[in-house]
Amino acid sequence: MLQDSFGRKFHYLRLSVTEACNFKCQYCLPDGYKGPSESSFLSVPEIRTLVTAFARLGTSKVRITGGEPSLRRDFPDIIRLCRQTEGIKTIATTTHGGRLAKDALAWKEAGLDQVNVSIDSLDPRLFADITGQNKLTEILKGVDRALEVGLRVKVNTVLLKGFAGKQLQEFKDWLVQTPVTLRFIELMETGDHPQFFNQQHLSGLPFKSQLLDEGWSPVIRTQDAGPAEEFHHPDFAGRIGLILPYSKDFCSTCNRLRVAANGKLHLCLFSEHGLDIRPWLKEGDVDALMVHLQTLLGQKHATHYLHDGNTGATSHLAMLGG
Ligand code: SAM
């Protein structure tokens, strides 16, 4: 089992398969994707070696992310190889949802269990303003299609000070009938966008008391659960989750490790630098990789240092997938 020196166990791998994205979210790639950090992103055989090693070390959940993972033509092959790996029980992806209406069935048939779709507003104009893409209607059709083919659906919404009041009410209205888990994510500071962060960061903590006052009840966390605290309410088909990376003790329940599309292991979303595991992946040596991963885990720190404005090597989250 992958375990660090603070006793935390790592059941959950977040695997970025590309840095490329065709959206221009204001908090991530406002000027668009500028090109890769390495000559090539991880190949399918390299990903197979990686996922096999993690699975043998106790990882049961893989999230395929990016950049935008669905931009890879071999995305269904990546899902399929995760599905074929012994020990992997849950396969999820995070996507902007632009291809969901068309591809949800193919992804489900390849073995996908869950899709997280990023939707920052249900107002088409605001959505286009935040993401640089006028595609809200298409993406909402994709959410319906994903539910129809039997995928579990979560929606990621970054809390932005300028839009929060509107965001909250329109999403709550939507959740009365829509059986998805909507997760409000507190904006995190990244190296490229300190100014945007200073203007738009809003603590999500007051929303927690608001939800409890309105009769929402906490849902018990599973072993491979993500970072959200989730709540349900008898009058709503959907659930609400809060991801509060600035809250006290956020890191104490960390169960995730990340591998970037360039083959670097990141022990934290905001670590100082990625650790190169690509030679082991190229070699295809699962046993040697397992030993190496266990050694590297000794370097994991107790917490991130975001409170001190230290964003580590993360210039934007498209590098690593959030
Ligand atoms: N392209 C995919 C998508 O649009 O969901 C996956 C990559 S995206 C980087 C993953 C998630 O990170 C999205 O839900 C996005 O909203 C979130 N994200 C990106 N930058 C963020 C930031 N600075 N703070 C909080 N969440 C962020």
Side-chain angles (χ1 to χ4, degrees), residues 21 27-28 65-69 94-96 116-118 120 156 158 185-190 317-318 321-322:
C21 187
Y27 47 77
C28 190
T65 179
E68 175 49 41
T94 307
T95 172
H96 59 36
N116 288 25
V117 189
S118 301
D120 291 325
N156 289 350
V158 178
I185 309 177
E186 233 178 68
L187 180 68
M188 291 173 259
E189 184 172 356
T190 53
L317 294 198

Side-chain angles (χ1 to χ4, degrees), residues 14 18 20-23 25 27-29 63-70 93-97 116-120 155-160 183 185-190 193 196-197 245-246 269-270 315-322:
R14 292 196 173 188
T18 180
C21 187
N22 52 346
F23 276 38
C25 298
Y27 47 77
C28 190
L29 294 175
R63 171 172 305 285
I64 307 165
T65 179
E68 175 49 41
S70 67
T93 192
T94 307
T95 172
H96 59 36
N116 288 25
V117 189
S118 301
I119 304 179
D120 291 325
V155 170
N156 289 350
T157 301
V158 178
L159 267 178
L160 299 171
R183 294 120 46 89
I185 309 177
E186 233 178 68
L187 180 68
M188 291 173 259
E189 184 172 356
T190 53
H193 310 304
F196 185 82
F197 174 81
Y246 290 88
L269 186 51
F270 297 99
S315 36
H316 51 70
L317 294 198
M319 280 174 66
L320 262 181

Side-chain angles (χ1 to χ4, degrees), residues 217-239:
S217 316
V219 175
I220 294 165
R221 276 174 65 85
T222 57
Q223 196 181 49
D224 61 1
E229 281 182 76
E230 290 189 1
F231 301 84
H232 68 95
H233 191 295
D235 300 340
F236 291 76
R239 291 178 170 188

Side-chain angles (χ1 to χ4, degrees), residues 16-195:
S16 172
V17 294
T18 180
E19 293 165 7
C21 187
N22 52 346
F23 276 38
K24 295 181 178 178
C25 298
Q26 286 184 31
Y27 47 77
C28 190
L29 294 175
D31 302 319
Y33 171 62
K34 297 284 186 226
S37 65
E38 292 285 328
S39 56
S40 67
F41 297 137
L42 293 173
S43 67
V44 166
E46 286 175 311
I47 295 173
R48 181 172 289 112
T49 302
L50 178 76
V51 175
T52 307
F54 270 90
R56 289 195 193 157
L57 287 166
T59 295
S60 58
K61 176 173 177 180
V62 179
R63 171 172 305 285
I64 307 165
T65 179
E68 175 49 41
S70 67
L71 293 184
R72 270 187 74 148
R73 289 224 175 91
D74 55 5
F75 181 49
D77 299 331
I78 298 172
I79 299 172
R80 207 168 290 115
L81 87 79
C82 292
R83 182 81 289 155
Q84 289 162 353
T85 306
E86 203 182 317
I88 299 300
K89 297 194 183 82
T90 308
I91 303 159
T93 192
T94 307
T95 172
H96 59 36
R99 297 188 178 206
L100 199 51
K102 189 168 71 58
D103 290 339
L105 181 61
W107 299 349
K108 170 77 182 165
E109 285 176 349
L112 192 70
D113 300 298
Q114 183 188 307
V115 65
N116 288 25
V117 189
S118 301
I119 304 179
D120 291 325
S121 172
L122 290 174
D123 173 330
R125 271 197 316 152
L126 219 52
F127 180 90
D129 189 30
I130 299 171
T131 63
Q133 289 280 2
N134 190 11
K135 289 195 173 165
L136 179 66
T137 311
E138 218 171 306
I139 291 166
L140 290 175
K141 274 190 199 145
V143 168
D144 290 341
R145 181 67 182 140
L147 289 167
E148 207 175 276
V149 303
L151 289 166
R152 278 197 302 283
V153 180
K154 296 194 178 187
V155 170
N156 289 350
T157 301
V158 178
L159 267 178
L160 299 171
K161 200 188 249 172
F163 313 117
K166 194 156 191 272
Q167 275 177 320
L168 275 173
Q169 198 45 54
E170 67 190 4
F171 278 115
K172 272 193 198 156
D173 294 343
W174 188 57
L175 289 177
V176 173
Q177 305 269 9
T178 315
V180 302
T181 300
L182 174 83
R183 294 120 46 89
F184 288 109
I185 309 177
E186 233 178 68
L187 180 68
M188 291 173 259
E189 184 172 356
T190 53
D192 281 0
H193 310 304
Q195 217 180 341

